[in-house]
Amino acid sequence: FRRVLFRSTAFNPASRVYYVQTLEACSMYTKSEKEWKAGEGYFGGSYAAVPGEPRQKVLRAISVDDGKILWEVPQNGNGASWGGVLYAAGGVIFYCDDNGAFAAVDEAGKPLWQFQTSVNWKASPMTYMFDNKQYVAVAAGSNVIAFGLP
């Protein structure tokens, strides 16, 4: 069974494109005999990674009109990071690459920029304004890094 996990996502309402970091990973699921009880956590079993099966994060652009994948950016890493994506006006998609880099692509998926942080992402990018200038920021380990946008 191949499961696909989603991280924080972004949407461009003008082009109607949805941007998502996915993690493709094979897992084995085992059903348990535990009974469901109101107010208690219930998974109905357990799961474990399939030995020898690679995990891979993939940044995808998906048309919300027909569900077609418009482009993909496969990443190199161990598939353990949790960073998501941010769409910024002007057509730039920022994302937390599974190799530890904070990166950006254009609306066609073409790489624009990257900044290596060497962290296993646990946060997603965000944006803010200060003194009429836009910034993009992300928590990278115990640090917060911010970059001014032109």
Side-chain angles (χ1 to χ4, degrees), residues 41-56:
Y42 179 77
F43 188 64
S46 63
Y47 72 94
V50 175
E53 286 290 324
R55 300 161 50 96
Q56 183 174 33

Side-chain angles (χ1 to χ4, degrees), residues 10-150:
F11 177 64
N12 177 352
S15 64
R16 300 187 48 76
V17 176
Y18 182 68
Y19 304 99
V20 60
Q21 281 275 51
T22 62
L23 171 64
E24 295 189 359
C26 289
S27 297
M28 295 181 294
Y29 289 84
T30 306
K31 182 182 174 194
S32 73
E33 297 301 320
K34 180 181 175 183
E35 289 190 35
W36 177 84
K37 292 181 184 170
E40 292 184 13
Y42 179 77
F43 188 64
S46 63
Y47 72 94
V50 175
E53 286 290 324
R55 300 161 50 96
Q56 183 174 33
K57 281 185 69 176
V58 180
L59 173 63
R60 291 191 168 110
I62 302 169
S63 167
V64 297
D65 294 323
D66 58 19
K68 290 183 181 173
I69 296 173
L70 304 174
W71 51 260
E72 298 180 324
V73 177
Q75 297 164 44
N76 297 316
N78 61 12
S81 66
W82 289 82
V85 298
L86 169 74
Y87 175 83
V92 179
I93 298 95
F94 292 94
Y95 68 101
C96 300
D97 194 301
D98 198 39
N99 70 10
F102 186 47
V105 295
D106 67 13
E107 289 180 297
K110 178 185 167 197
L112 297 174
W113 170 86
Q114 74 170 4
F115 180 83
Q116 185 55 251
T117 66
S118 299
V119 299
N120 185 15
W121 295 106
K122 301 295 182 196
S124 296
M126 53 88 58
T127 187
Y128 64 94
M129 296 286 290
F130 181 75
D131 282 345
N132 291 323
K133 183 166 176 71
Q134 184 178 14
Y135 295 84
V136 62
V138 66
S142 60
N143 300 302
V144 174
I145 56 176
F147 300 92
L149 301 181

